[in-house]
Amino acid sequence: MQLSNEIMNDMKQANKDEIRQRYLAVDTSNVADVLDTLGYLDQGLSSDFAPFPGRRDGTKLAGWAYTIRGQMTPFPLGGDDDKMQACQGLSAGEISVWSGDGEGICYFGELIALGMKERGCVGAVLDGGIRDVRWIDQHGFPVFAKYRTPIQSIGRWKVNAWQVPVVLRGATSNFVSVKPGDFILGDDDGAIVIPAPLVEQVLAESERLTATEAAIRTQLSEGLTLAQALAKYGHV
């Protein structure tokens, strides 16, 4: 029996949801190590990207990249229709990834964050600024951004494309490429981009490293020395 497109889409979404939940249980450090072994050495985002409001409470960011691009463009006050249209395309389990040349202005605030969350968006990464930080935090919407600012983008910075390849500032390179459907993981150590073709491979190996580290912690607490742990497990 041939499955309908609707059933196939539901199965695909269920698999993506499972992958996202599993990524929430691993650390960016393990993901970075796995990517290194695969030859992807420059996937980490710049340390300028930080979680807002900046609390170290273990909040994590994990989801599929939905890209939005803009640039500094003077225009009359009254709104950015392209920004609204871009946000309407977001789906469950996705993270909005904002790129562009904005300086000193926010790309969005509380109301747009609420609209994105209503569509199932699970967070945002901004190569620019954020405002309404306290209110966004109360809504439980995780954001990694370069800075905070009270200054709006209306009249200054305008969306010009979405769901296209973009670049964000990198940790070990000038820029990291992000394509629609790549995976973004962020935690207290920072944020990293996993290319879409590698998502499941990187996840499985990161879970293996996570389990190994858990075993080492347990054995260290039971009296195993660090030297013994290194001899047994090697570098982790």
Side-chain angles (χ1 to χ4, degrees):
M1 181 178 67
Q2 187 174 6
L3 297 176
S4 69
N5 288 337
E6 184 176 351
I7 293 175
M8 291 291 289
N9 288 338
D10 287 345
M11 292 172 62
K12 183 178 180 180
Q13 185 60 48
N15 183 53
K16 292 178 72 173
D17 291 343
E18 178 191 358
I19 288 172
R20 196 181 82 81
Q21 291 300 320
R22 288 166 61 191
Y23 261 108
L24 286 168
V26 301
D27 295 335
T28 56
S29 56
N30 284 338
V31 169
D33 290 353
V34 172
L35 286 167
D36 277 354
T37 65
L38 296 175
Y40 290 79
L41 307 179
D42 300 309
Q43 295 303 117
L45 297 185
S46 167
S47 59
D48 290 342
F49 288 87
F52 283 88
R55 294 190 319 217
R56 298 298 180 180
D57 59 0
T59 298
K60 298 186 77 169
L61 178 80
W64 308 87
Y66 179 100
T67 62
I68 300 173
R69 188 186 71 199
Q71 67 184 87
M72 296 299 286
T73 306
F75 64 100
L77 296 177
D80 183 347
D81 292 339
D82 287 333
K83 181 188 290 187
M84 297 300 101
Q85 187 176 345
C87 292
Q88 286 299 308
L90 281 157
S91 300
E94 291 181 327
I95 288 175
S96 59
V97 177
W98 300 70
S99 69
D101 62 351
E103 293 295 339
I105 53 94
C106 79
Y107 288 175
F108 69 83
E110 179 192 14
L111 295 183
I112 291 181
L114 280 174
M116 291 191 293
K117 186 177 180 182
E118 287 173 356
R119 300 193 63 82
C121 177
V122 291
V125 174
L126 292 77
D127 201 344
I130 185 72
R131 75 175 185 178
D132 301 330
V133 171
R134 175 163 62 102
W135 303 111
I136 290 174
D137 179 53
Q138 290 185 11
H139 295 299
F141 189 77
V143 174
F144 274 62
K146 288 181 64 182
Y147 55 85
R148 68 186 76 200
T149 175
I151 308 302
Q152 68 175 342
S153 63
I154 300 301
R156 302 179 173 92
W157 183 89
K158 197 174 189 309
V159 167
N160 59 24
W162 53 96
Q163 285 298 75
V164 297
V166 300
V167 293
L168 305 179
R169 269 61 167 204
T172 56
S173 61
N174 289 334
F175 294 100
V176 178
S177 174
V178 182
K179 298 180 177 64
D182 286 348
F183 199 90
I184 309 291
L185 183 66
D187 58 21
D188 287 343
D189 289 333
I192 196 162
V193 180
I194 302 99
L198 302 177
V199 167
E200 294 189 64
Q201 180 182 1
V202 170
L203 175 59
E205 185 62 16
S206 297
E207 288 175 328
R208 187 193 68 77
L209 282 180
T210 299
T212 298
E213 288 184 350
I216 292 173
R217 291 188 190 102
T218 298
Q219 293 178 38
L220 288 173
S221 70
E222 294 172 348
L224 187 74
T225 68
L226 179 58
Q228 289 170 331
L230 292 174
K232 182 176 182 180
Y233 293 99
H235 172 73
V236 292

